[in-house]
Amino acid sequence: MRLKRKRESRPAFLGEVVNVNQIKEKVMKIIQLNALPTDEADKYVEQVGKLFHAAWKDCEPDYATEYVAILDVARRVAVEPLFVAIDNDGQLAGVATIPPDDYYPGFRAENGVAHGYIASDLVVVERYRGKRFGGLKVWEHLLREVLQWVSSQGDNCVVVFADKQDPRVSLFARSGARYVRDVVHRKSPARCIAMLEYNVESTLASLDARLTACCW
């Protein structure tokens, strides 16, 4: 599926982790899909849609089938930042997005979340989970690029949401996110969702220090 979208002036390849042993150790590239030509971006849309379907088919209607998930990803690439992690063999390793809202339109307004960009859809392909590339795990590379994008927009706050039983809540907290409060999902009132907040400057400094330490 091809959709016309506004091209950004920034380079498509946002980050590449390289260390002195890169011949022996794989590297990880982060690509912003809506900064790529349509034909190139389309190569990843189907992969991302299938990944989202596998992750959330049981709880999110937008990802109930692979076909619907792929259509949703194609639509979103045209209007919001969507980042993919790609290894040096060209394989998809993970995804993260910066949507205008989370879960459903109106979610943030209903919960009184008036400030901060949202980082969402953070998913890592199973075989890459727990592995480090240049000192950081795949999800940390994606988080780093999200934070850098937000910093480039002049903001210093990123908000993340996750079901409280989701292992990502503890991951976010350990990487510097501050628990703010619980929020409500109108369509699933029984769900207990945590809201956490990253300070962009301090979290980037911490991630960058680990990259620097690894590369030297």
Side-chain angles (χ1 to χ4, degrees):
M1 174 171 296
R2 298 183 179 180
L3 299 177
K4 292 184 178 180
R5 49 183 169 267
K6 183 179 179 180
R7 293 287 305 282
E8 293 199 2
S9 59
R10 59 188 285 121
F13 288 83
L14 302 177
E16 179 174 354
V17 180
V18 182
N19 68 28
V20 293
N21 296 315
Q22 76 173 64
I23 295 177
K24 298 179 180 180
E25 181 178 336
K26 287 187 176 182
V27 298
M28 188 62 57
K29 290 181 177 179
I30 309 298
I31 302 173
Q32 185 176 340
L33 287 194
N34 60 324
L36 289 174
T38 301
D39 288 347
E40 293 185 36
D42 285 348
K43 293 187 296 185
Y44 297 105
V45 167
E46 182 175 352
Q47 297 180 60
V48 173
K50 289 180 177 179
L51 182 60
F52 284 177
H53 165 69
W56 294 306
K57 60 186 176 184
D58 296 327
C59 59
E60 297 296 339
D62 287 342
Y63 308 124
T65 68
E66 283 190 354
Y67 176 73
V68 170
I70 292 168
L71 287 178
D72 185 65
V73 171
R75 174 190 63 80
R76 293 177 63 185
V77 168
V79 297
E80 68 189 53
L82 192 154
F83 306 90
V84 293
I86 306 295
D87 73 9
N88 62 344
D89 293 323
Q91 299 299 308
L92 177 70
V95 184
T97 69
I98 305 177
D101 215 328
D102 210 339
Y103 294 103
Y104 55 84
F107 172 80
R108 69 182 298 161
E110 291 174 3
N111 285 284
V113 182
H115 71 285
Y117 284 93
I118 297 174
S120 188
D121 303 305
L122 183 58
V123 187
V124 175
V125 175
E126 187 172 359
R127 67 178 177 273
Y128 293 95
R129 294 172 188 170
K131 296 182 179 180
R132 296 182 184 275
F133 298 81
L136 299 178
K137 295 179 181 179
V138 173
W139 76 270
E140 292 174 312
H141 286 298
L142 288 162
L143 173 63
R144 180 171 175 267
E145 295 299 341
V146 166
L147 296 175
Q148 288 185 330
W149 187 93
V150 171
S151 179
S152 75
Q153 306 303 303
D155 208 323
N156 196 43
C157 174
V158 169
V159 175
V160 290
F161 301 99
D163 288 56
K164 293 195 76 172
Q165 70 272 22
D166 190 321
R168 292 179 302 169
V169 172
S170 60
L171 287 178
F172 295 152
R174 290 201 301 270
S175 63
R178 176 181 65 89
Y179 170 78
V180 179
R181 57 186 169 90
D182 290 351
V183 293
V184 177
H185 192 301
R186 169 170 41 87
K187 299 181 180 181
S188 302
R191 291 174 70 173
C192 189
I193 299 173
M195 171 182 170
L196 300 94
E197 183 178 281
Y198 280 105
N199 177 283
V200 171
E201 184 178 2
S202 61
T203 307
L204 270 178
S206 175
L207 293 171
D208 288 348
R210 290 166 56 194
L211 274 176
T212 301
C214 175
C215 293
W216 289 96

